[in-house]
Amino acid sequence: MKSLVLAVTSSFFIGSSFIVHNKGLKATQGSASGAVPRERIDFDDKDLESEESLWNLYGRWMSYYQVTHDPKEKQERFKIFKENVHFIHDFRKNDNSFGLALNKFADISGDEYARDWMGCRVPIDDESD
């Protein structure tokens, strides 16, 4: 997927639309801070069998992360979500030392993630002296 973003920090991968975890851990919904997560939205082959089953998975994901979109944006976000789910599914077929799972960024592109979530943001103190 051309818009995929992976950043490497001391052998821990952070994906824009999914999280990466050591297969030996039950880590799932991770963060860049290295905190060990406890839950995730998981999926299997049945969730990828049809457009309807993918929409059901997207609905579960939206409920879990309390995401809402207007109908037009939801259609666009679903396309990105579907690409990311297929990327994770294909990745899991290989014997890797780490795994991938969906996270709260699953319906944004790698470009959006890089633009909005990577880098340093310093709060501006707008109080006048």
Side-chain angles (χ1 to χ4, degrees):
M1 189 165 96
K2 65 182 175 184
S3 64
L4 179 68
V5 174
L6 289 177
V8 179
T9 58
S10 66
S11 77
F12 185 79
F13 290 78
I14 304 163
S16 63
S17 306
F18 45 83
I19 58 101
V20 180
H21 57 88
N22 181 313
K23 282 188 173 180
L25 301 174
K26 278 206 153 190
T28 50
Q29 191 182 327
S31 70
S33 68
V36 177
R38 292 184 169 62
E39 296 182 37
R40 70 176 170 200
I41 299 296
D42 208 359
F43 62 91
D44 57 29
D45 291 343
K46 288 187 180 246
D47 292 309
L48 291 108
E49 286 180 347
S50 68
E51 198 78 359
E52 181 181 354
S53 60
L54 281 162
W55 272 107
N56 289 335
L57 175 60
Y58 188 47
R60 286 194 336 251
W61 176 86
M62 289 182 74
S63 281
Y64 184 82
Y65 289 106
Q66 300 177 347
V67 173
T68 58
H69 297 299
D70 64 59
K72 184 179 179 184
E73 184 176 9
K74 188 174 180 179
Q75 290 288 329
E76 292 303 312
R77 295 288 167 196
F78 175 68
K79 290 177 190 176
I80 296 167
F81 178 84
K82 190 166 49 168
E83 289 177 9
N84 290 327
V85 168
H86 283 290
F87 177 85
I88 293 167
H89 184 259
D90 292 343
F91 180 87
R92 288 177 174 178
K93 291 178 184 177
N94 299 321
D95 186 27
N96 298 295
S97 61
F98 57 92
L100 301 180
L102 295 171
N103 69 6
K104 68 181 181 177
F105 303 111
D107 74 346
I108 66 171
S109 70
D111 291 340
E112 288 175 296
Y113 180 81
R115 181 191 70 220
D116 298 339
W117 293 92
M118 294 177 79
C120 181
R121 294 203 172 120
V122 179
I124 297 172
D125 184 10
D126 59 355
E127 291 182 25
S128 300
D129 291 337

